[in-house]
Amino acid sequence: MRRVILPICLMLGACMPGTSADMPSRAATHDQSTMPAMKRFSAPRPVPPRRSNRDIQRDFLELSFQLESGRPLQHFSRFEQPISIRVTGSPPPTLIPDLNRLVHRLRTEAGIDVARVRSDTANITVEAVPRSEIRRHLPQAACFVVPNISRLSQYRKARHSRITNWSLLKKREKLAVFIPNDSSPQEVRDCLHEELAQAIGPLNDLYRLPDSVFNDDNVHTVLTGFDMLILRAYYSPELHSGMTRAQVARRLPAILSRLNPAGDKIAPRYASSTPRAWIRNIQTALGPGARSAQRRTTAREALRIAEAVGWTDHRRAFSHFALGRLTQSTDPDFAQDQFVIAEQFYKRTPGTTLHRAYTASQLAAYAIAQGRGEDALMLLTPYLSTAERHENAALLATLMMLRAEALELTGRVAEARSVRLDSLGWARYGFGADWAVRAKLRDISALSPLKGPNG
């Protein structure tokens, strides 16, 4: 199961100088009853991996021969026949187009023989159900994948049986992916990418990966160039179901040299493994169920572990980012310092441009709250194209809404109005319902001192 961590990166409410109900806003003073059409991304532009094949070999083995819990897998498993996917339940209107787009990418970028079908004998069933039904079975999950069943109604009985035990699986033939049908279009799409990638390929997540959806930090939400390389290697003809780790390891160097020759010329970085204690603290800090004080305590402990391990990569940055996000409401100046430190570590780590876009949104929100419009514009401008390239409509809409507030602070009112209007189409895809879009507008508008009681 994936998508357990809350999307804290886009929750800017704690930066606000007051509650949104008390603050006049652009959304409240302009007629938003008719929203513009939802915007969708065009052709994908994945960034090729820029890492050593020796590092990627290690990543492949740990992704393929270990579960997220840390439990080792004895055998390599995959589909050994063309993969068919069908959709059941009550899919929202955006699900089928997004699934078709993903299937096309898997065929063209990963070279996997996969197709969407209507037959009830499909290998993978994507069942679209209410979010409450998913939470009834797995309270912490937004979506999940299970082997050897085809309906959510079968899951409770089969949950603790051998048929749904991933560690006993030697060959994949039938799986089910359960997707919420009442979440935002982006959340539905993100679940499709993450769960189908797991249904077809590796079962593990690694926090040390800066450029992958196989990472529970949820920074990347659509399959990346690295992910497509992993999946292409996963279905290379040199491998087959039932192989041991040692057997796969012997064949991987030649496979990666053939698929990613540039990786043979890059020196390995040998990133350290991620301690389970850090993972537990991060999941408690950012996942559902914990009280605010406990979240802050575990975020501080995660940072302590990151410092003790000596990390200087994106995991150290993420530790500061998480602590900053969780302390915004109690100590905004301290939180700002954490975001600044996070940016410093991200800047030193290759492949973290998207991470820096999230940090820029927090730093810009703080600048806007202080009336520093020009500073906010400098922070935001480089990352609009980043959000678009990584197909993150929620992040793109947030950056554009922040940019509109910064433009108003600098007196560019007409330009601000145009940018704000343009953001709404992306917001409809990223946040879903019109009320959610208006709520995001109110929250970000309330950051500006121009919108305060005397503004």
Side-chain angles (χ1 to χ4, degrees), residues 47-221:
V47 178
R50 297 188 179 95
R51 285 192 279 129
S52 167
N53 278 343
R54 294 172 68 182
D55 285 333
I56 295 174
Q57 179 179 346
R58 175 192 170 202
D59 298 336
F60 185 99
L61 292 172
E62 291 190 20
L63 286 170
S64 305
F65 286 93
Q66 190 169 297
L67 295 174
E68 294 178 39
S69 64
R71 184 177 181 180
L73 295 170
Q74 300 303 314
H75 299 96
F76 180 78
S77 71
R78 70 180 190 187
F79 288 98
E80 294 297 338
Q81 70 275 11
I83 304 169
S84 54
I85 303 173
R86 68 166 180 161
V87 176
T88 63
S90 302
T94 58
L95 189 152
I96 297 297
D98 280 339
L99 176 58
N100 288 341
R101 195 166 184 264
L102 173 57
V103 167
H104 178 73
R105 287 194 63 196
L106 290 170
R107 292 180 65 88
T108 58
E109 296 177 40
I112 299 174
D113 189 355
V114 56
R116 189 171 71 83
V117 301
R118 298 181 183 274
S119 171
D120 58 5
T121 60
N123 304 117
I124 300 175
T125 299
V126 175
E127 186 176 16
V129 299
R131 181 171 20 188
S132 59
E133 286 297 301
I134 292 175
R135 296 290 172 86
R136 188 163 65 89
H137 293 277
L138 287 176
Q140 293 186 319
C143 42
F144 64 104
V145 57
V146 183
N148 297 319
I149 65 173
S150 57
R151 298 190 304 275
L152 188 58
S153 59
Q154 300 171 326
Y155 179 64
R156 186 174 296 277
K157 183 177 180 180
R159 181 175 183 178
H160 298 296
S161 68
R162 292 176 60 88
I163 65 171
T164 59
N165 190 332
W166 285 105
S167 63
L168 300 178
L169 201 65
K170 290 187 178 181
K171 180 181 177 182
R172 304 187 198 183
E173 296 178 328
K174 182 173 73 171
L175 297 98
V177 172
F178 305 114
I179 302 290
N181 60 13
D182 51 0
S183 295
S184 71
Q186 179 165 316
E187 178 71 16
V188 173
R189 180 210 61 186
D190 295 352
C191 278
L192 282 173
H193 277 249
E194 296 182 2
E195 302 306 331
L196 279 176
Q198 188 176 43
I200 292 171
L203 299 171
N204 194 14
D205 280 332
L206 295 173
Y207 275 99
R208 73 165 182 266
L209 301 178
D211 54 353
S212 175
V213 301
F214 295 109
N215 185 330
D216 266 339
D217 65 9
N218 281 2
V219 171
H220 287 276
T221 55

Side-chain angles (χ1 to χ4, degrees), residues 401-416:
M401 291 177 186
L402 288 166
R403 179 173 172 80
E405 298 304 323
L407 287 168
E408 283 194 345
L409 285 173
T410 61
R412 296 151 68 180
V413 178
E415 188 178 350

Side-chain angles (χ1 to χ4, degrees), residues 264-449:
D264 286 337
K265 303 174 184 177
I266 301 174
R269 294 174 61 89
Y270 298 118
S272 63
S273 298
T274 307
R276 299 301 304 180
W278 184 88
I279 294 174
R280 286 194 300 270
N281 279 287
I282 283 290
Q283 290 179 338
T284 301
L286 305 183
R291 296 178 179 274
S292 297
Q294 184 184 12
R295 292 182 190 278
R296 291 191 292 270
T297 298
T298 52
R300 290 180 187 276
E301 179 60 17
L303 177 57
R304 187 197 65 77
I305 294 171
E307 292 171 337
V309 172
W311 284 336
T312 58
D313 61 9
H314 60 285
R315 291 170 293 181
R316 173 68 178 274
F318 190 66
S319 302
H320 287 285
F321 184 95
L323 182 58
R325 180 60 194 90
L326 294 169
T327 55
Q328 279 180 308
S329 60
T330 57
D331 193 343
D333 292 334
F334 174 80
Q336 165 75 356
D337 291 341
Q338 296 305 304
F339 294 136
V340 170
I341 298 171
E343 162 62 12
Q344 291 170 351
F345 281 107
Y346 280 139
K347 190 174 182 179
R348 302 175 198 167
T349 307
T352 59
T353 306
L354 184 59
H355 302 69
R356 296 179 67 188
Y358 282 118
T359 305
S361 72
Q362 299 291 341
L363 294 172
Y366 190 85
I368 290 168
Q370 293 188 326
R372 296 184 288 112
E374 290 291 353
D375 290 345
L377 290 173
M378 289 181 62
L379 288 162
L380 294 166
T381 299
Y383 297 108
L384 294 169
S385 60
T386 298
E388 185 171 3
R389 176 159 193 160
H390 290 88
E391 301 186 34
N392 194 323
L395 175 60
L396 179 57
T398 298
L399 296 175
M400 293 176 74
M401 291 177 186
L402 288 166
R403 179 173 172 80
E405 298 304 323
L407 287 168
E408 283 194 345
L409 285 173
T410 61
R412 296 151 68 180
V413 178
E415 188 178 350
R417 186 178 299 113
S418 176
V419 170
R420 185 179 291 108
L421 179 63
D422 198 30
S423 75
L424 299 181
W426 295 114
R428 293 193 67 195
Y429 186 86
F431 301 115
D434 288 356
W435 65 262
V437 175
R438 295 189 183 98
K440 178 58 64 173
L441 276 171
R442 286 195 300 269
D443 287 351
I444 292 180
S445 180
L447 292 166
S448 174

